[in-house]
Amino acid sequence: MADRKTDEEPPASEENVPTVSCDRCGREWDLGYELEAMAVGNQAIEQFALDHQRHTGHFPDGLAVWQADCRHCPESVQRLEERGARRWAATHARHTNHDVTLVGDDGHETIVHAPE
């Protein structure tokens, strides 16, 4: 029987699996689970950081999020990168005509206004 090609990514080798540490927890994790079982690909660090914060109340070392909250409805997102949070805020504002509060990883707040 011939080998079948699939669209699945090959398993991550141990040498290229990113790791995340947390001094508060006194641990370090490799993100093989996020890459293989959760299949989140290049979002592995972001997914781990958000899950860690959700379960422990704090982020791993060196990670913080950009928070985008709609000022009119309960929609919101958290992203590690400013670009992703700004993109979500602009898209939400454009489609809903709602202003969005964007809070940076440094705590600075900006309002993304709906287009006129």
Side-chain angles (χ1 to χ4, degrees):
M1 185 185 275
D3 290 338
R4 294 185 336 179
K5 289 187 176 182
T6 67
D7 291 333
E8 294 178 24
E9 292 183 26
S13 70
E14 287 184 31
E15 58 196 40
N16 66 4
V17 173
T19 60
V20 175
S21 63
C22 180
D23 286 339
R24 288 177 71 175
C25 294
R27 292 189 58 194
E28 183 175 279
W29 298 264
D30 76 51
L31 302 185
Y33 175 79
E34 285 74 14
L35 291 170
E36 294 177 20
M38 294 179 67
V40 294
N42 63 357
Q43 299 291 318
I45 293 173
E46 184 169 31
Q47 186 64 55
F48 182 88
L50 295 173
D51 287 344
H52 190 75
Q53 193 275 335
R54 195 174 298 120
H55 292 283
T56 66
H58 62 268
F59 288 100
D61 298 342
L63 299 174
V65 297
W66 285 75
Q67 176 78 34
D69 295 306
C70 180
R71 299 180 77 160
H72 300 281
C73 71
E75 293 295 318
S76 68
V77 297
Q78 293 180 317
R79 299 285 188 262
L80 289 180
E81 300 290 329
E82 176 183 7
R83 183 173 175 225
R86 282 196 185 278
R87 183 176 50 242
W88 184 91
T91 302
H92 185 76
R94 180 174 184 214
H95 287 275
T96 63
N97 204 35
H98 295 169
D99 292 341
V100 176
T101 300
L102 184 64
V103 180
D105 57 1
D106 62 357
H108 179 76
E109 189 173 297
T110 305
I111 305 299
V112 177
H113 296 285
E116 296 184 22

